[in-house]
Amino acid sequence: MALAQTDLNPEDIELIIVTTFTPDGLAPSTAALVQRNLKAEGAWAYDISTACSGFVFGMSTADKFIRSG
């Protein structure tokens, strides 16, 4: 649904960051499951487990990746 609301294709996605403290399971990571479901085979995907600060930490991390190219 997220891709359907944009002009993006799965191959346009380079990075997937998932922030959750309560994943459904430890392996595979939630980010890997999102990557699979989006069919974003070229994306780097990983989880950040930081509880309440997860969103802010995830956004800060994404910002650093975007700024560094």
Side-chain angles (χ1 to χ4, degrees):
M1 288 175 35
L3 287 176
Q5 296 176 9
T6 70
D7 291 330
L8 294 175
N9 296 309
E11 53 273 1
D12 297 326
I13 301 170
E14 297 177 4
L15 176 65
I16 298 168
I17 300 173
V18 173
T19 60
T20 182
F21 194 65
T22 56
D24 290 340
L26 297 177
S29 70
T30 304
L33 297 174
V34 171
Q35 178 189 35
R36 180 196 64 197
N37 290 343
L38 290 174
K39 297 178 178 60
E41 297 174 4
W44 183 35
Y46 71 99
D47 289 356
I48 298 175
S49 297
T50 51
C52 297
S53 63
F55 178 78
V56 174
F57 190 38
M59 289 296 288
S60 176
T61 303
D63 176 67
K64 302 308 182 259
F65 275 103
I66 292 168
R67 289 176 187 264
S68 69

